[in-house]
Amino acid sequence: NGRHDTERMIQRQDGSSLWVRIHRLEATERTVSGVIEDLSSAVEALVTKCRRLDLLEQRWSYINASTGLADIGLWNIRPATGECWFSPSWFTSLGYERDAFTHSFDSFAARVHPDDLPHVVAAYEAAVEGITPEYRVDFRLMRKDGRYVDFEARAQLVPFDGSESETILCGAQLNIADRVDARRLLEASAAETETAMNRLRRLTENVPGAIYELRMERDGSLSFPFATSGLGDLSGLSDDTVRGDAEALFRAVHPDDLE
């Protein structure tokens, strides 16, 4: 007795199947009254949605595999609520299993090098407040083994779930340890070269006359990669002029002596 709804698949005469919902409105000992509702459209829409979800899940698995190989982590944060999300590749880039700790800004901040945290927060606030067009910052994160690794993060604000009033910051995080190591080696090499050149200049400044290296470039132009101050003294030109324009020295030579 009473109202009762149930869903059933029925077999039609042509052999096709049809999902229906049976609404039993009233029942007595001898009669039952009700309504049969055709659910074909609803079921078809649900199947389509499930297929789309399956496709999205498949595509997401491809993206996650690709970003994992490239050591790229994906993330987002809702400024209005503080909710965060980190992709599986974000965790693996730090040596963790996926979802190894809470998806939160505090979990992220706890792993940022203390010297880098202030400018990471400042860059985030500037991006959220619209002061900068994007979030872009380099910083160090602690891996599971305790080592700090250099990363670069970029992100942009986009509408959240189609909303016109709320945004979400979506970004990617790239391991740049090799780039930073190469830059540090280059800077160290340049510093060593400059130190050696200064030492050489000090040793050669008291040599009578001048010591120089003249180089002809591929385009035929001339330059002095190295020259003591004596070269300028001999020509009457400043050291900066000689080093910046080797042709100036030849213009100072008497025409009869050029050959």
Side-chain angles (χ1 to χ4, degrees):
N1 293 328
R3 178 165 179 160
H4 177 73
D5 295 346
T6 184
E7 296 175 358
R8 293 285 187 271
M9 178 186 288
I10 62 176
Q11 196 80 19
R12 295 195 294 191
Q13 189 172 1
D14 61 4
S16 60
S17 299
L18 179 68
W19 275 96
V20 297
R21 178 179 290 126
I22 303 172
H23 305 274
R24 192 173 69 178
L25 303 178
E26 186 178 352
T28 66
E29 293 182 359
R30 303 183 61 182
T31 64
V32 175
S33 62
V35 176
I36 298 178
E37 178 186 359
D38 184 355
L39 297 179
S40 301
S41 299
V43 171
E44 183 177 352
L46 180 60
V47 170
T48 301
K49 184 177 181 179
C50 289
R51 287 174 178 169
R52 288 176 179 173
L53 289 175
D54 288 342
L55 181 59
L56 287 174
E57 184 176 355
Q58 185 181 51
R59 288 177 177 174
W60 169 242
S61 68
Y62 296 157
I63 292 173
N64 189 56
S66 300
T67 55
L69 289 173
D71 217 2
I72 298 174
L74 305 179
W75 56 273
N76 61 55
I77 180 171
R78 290 176 63 186
T81 64
E83 293 178 66
C84 292
W85 170 83
F86 305 115
S87 71
S89 58
W90 190 94
F91 283 95
T92 56
S93 69
L94 296 177
Y96 291 95
E97 297 294 328
R98 62 183 299 173
D99 304 327
F101 46 82
T102 306
H103 293 242
S104 69
F105 185 82
D106 288 343
S107 295
F108 164 74
R111 289 165 176 80
V112 177
H113 193 286
D115 294 343
D116 298 338
L117 188 57
H119 73 258
V120 168
V121 174
Y124 167 76
E125 292 176 346
V128 170
E129 294 170 7
I131 299 174
T132 56
E134 66 174 2
Y135 171 82
R136 183 172 182 176
V137 63
D138 293 352
F139 55 91
R140 289 161 290 179
L141 273 179
M142 182 186 292
R143 286 176 48 88
K144 184 178 180 180
D145 59 13
R147 294 185 300 112
Y148 280 103
V149 178
D150 291 276
F151 287 90
E152 177 187 17
R154 296 188 186 186
Q156 281 189 324
L157 284 174
V158 297
F160 174 71
D161 201 20
S163 171
E164 295 182 359
S165 59
E166 186 179 353
T167 57
I168 184 169
L169 191 66
C170 297
Q173 179 175 291
L174 173 66
N175 186 324
I176 59 170
D178 290 342
R179 184 200 308 172
V180 172
D181 289 344
R183 183 179 66 204
R184 288 171 181 162
L185 288 174
L186 185 61
E187 291 173 350
S189 177
E192 291 177 1
T193 300
E194 183 63 23
T195 299
M197 290 295 290
N198 290 334
R199 185 181 299 115
L200 179 59
R201 288 192 180 96
R202 288 196 298 270
L203 292 173
T204 57
E205 283 302 321
N206 295 322
V207 174
I211 299 176
Y212 65 88
E213 177 187 348
L214 178 64
R215 178 184 299 169
M216 177 177 287
E217 307 296 342
R218 291 185 177 182
D219 60 1
S221 62
L222 301 174
S223 65
F224 287 106
F226 175 82
T228 61
S229 58
L231 191 60
D233 295 338
L234 291 174
S235 63
L237 301 172
S238 68
D239 292 344
D240 289 340
T241 299
V242 172
R243 294 192 182 99
D245 182 13
E247 302 288 348
L249 182 63
F250 288 94
R251 289 194 295 270
V253 177
H254 193 283
D256 295 341
D257 298 332
L258 285 174
E259 297 184 0

